[in-house]
Amino acid sequence: MSSSRQSRTCTASKRSGQHVRIQIVGRGRMGRSLTAALFAAGADVAAEPSGHGSDGSDADVVILAVPDGAIADAAGVIAPGRIVGHMSGATTLAPLAPHEAFSLHPLITVTGADLDDVSSGGPHPFSGVPAAVAATTPRALGVGEALAAHLGMRAFTVADEDRAAYHAAASIASNFLVTVEGVAETLAATAGVPRDALVPLVRAAASNWAEHGAAGALTGPVVRGDDETVERQRRAVSERMPGELALFDALVSSTRSLAARVRGTELHEEDRS
């Protein structure tokens, strides 16, 4: 065992119950955060992640925390006999062949601040986070689920054929939400309204969606059928942010569809009562 590896016990063991040594490949924020979190949680993991090209020869489980496009190349140099995992949400398990393989995708973004917190002994960003897990064998699935549990994550499975839809949903829920808020922020600024004035509204909307789902959280002029107000909004967007008019129109159309489904559900419930 190398001097950089600490002899620490990890509950992420093979189904046989034997001790498992873990190697993280990838020195980006995800690789460093995952390494620090596992190390702090008592895993037998090298104190620092290795760079691309590591063969994982002194590990039982190798986790590739590398860009999606680099997964196949990184997996190609891993020594045979290892269980190999990746951290991608969109990528299937195919690039890990012929290794016994799993994927572990935490539904969270990792920032430099998160890494600083873990490095200074603070909480790691994975605790309580849902994580998508898939695997090519029951043993590999057991490793992925055990790793998630060891970090306090809530694991759920996603089949390879569902990966693109799952990852698109995650992007819409996180990346696209920020994009929409960016448009709102810029439009508000044209009226002299600061970004922080929108924050309580955004938080309330997100909280209502988390508690009630989209149908129960929807409010505003579209769901009320106030077409005159929507048209005034559209003219303002057209005048002040013409490049975002197509986005506004698409969001209004999608919101109308959601509102129609809400009204249809309510009518159906009234008919049953």
Side-chain angles (χ1 to χ4, degrees):
M1 184 178 298
S2 67
S3 59
S4 64
R5 183 180 301 281
Q6 303 296 317
S7 179
R8 298 159 72 88
T9 302
C10 178
T11 58
S13 59
K14 297 179 181 177
R15 294 224 167 193
S16 64
Q18 86 181 70
H19 181 76
V20 170
R21 296 166 296 167
I22 304 168
Q23 176 66 58
I24 310 298
V25 176
R27 291 174 175 154
R29 285 183 298 187
M30 179 60 77
R32 288 180 292 147
S33 294
L34 182 65
T35 297
L38 284 170
F39 189 83
D44 183 357
V45 60
E48 295 291 337
S50 62
H52 293 205
S54 171
D55 66 2
S57 58
D58 63 344
D60 303 300
V61 174
V62 180
I63 304 175
L64 307 177
V66 300
D68 290 11
I71 290 173
D73 287 343
V77 300
I78 301 300
R82 277 72 192 158
I83 298 177
V84 182
H86 68 59
M87 303 288 290
S88 171
T91 306
T92 68
L93 296 170
L96 299 179
H99 300 288
E100 191 174 0
F102 71 94
S103 63
L104 177 66
H105 180 245
L107 266 174
I108 193 68
T109 56
V110 175
T111 66
D114 293 323
L115 182 58
D116 291 340
D117 287 343
V118 177
S119 299
S120 61
H124 65 72
F126 306 105
S127 181
V129 171
V133 180
T136 57
T137 67
R139 183 173 71 153
L141 180 62
V143 169
E145 290 177 338
L147 281 166
H150 196 63
L151 291 172
M153 294 191 289
R154 307 191 308 276
F156 59 92
T157 57
V158 175
D160 268 6
E161 60 267 26
D162 296 325
R163 300 290 292 200
Y166 153 72
H167 200 249
S171 293
I172 292 168
S174 56
N175 309 139
F176 294 176
L177 176 61
V178 173
T179 299
V180 169
E181 298 304 347
V183 174
E185 175 184 346
T186 303
L187 186 60
T190 70
V193 177
R195 178 177 63 86
D196 59 9
L198 299 176
V199 170
L201 182 64
V202 174
R203 287 177 173 162
S207 178
N208 287 337
W209 170 77
E211 184 172 353
H212 304 293
L218 188 62
T219 63
V222 173
V223 74
R224 293 195 302 268
D226 187 353
D227 293 340
E228 183 178 343
T229 295
V230 174
E231 182 55 33
R232 287 201 302 271
Q233 292 177 342
R234 187 180 189 278
R235 286 198 297 270
V237 173
S238 179
E239 292 168 1
R240 301 186 182 204
M241 298 184 68
E244 304 298 347
L245 185 59
L247 174 62
F248 179 85
D249 287 343
L251 290 171
V252 168
S253 177
S254 186
T255 302
R256 280 182 173 144
S257 296
L258 175 59
R261 293 198 300 273
V262 171
R263 287 192 290 270
T265 300
E266 290 174 346
L267 288 173
H268 182 66
E269 290 176 348
E270 289 176 3
D271 288 342
R272 290 190 305 175
S273 62

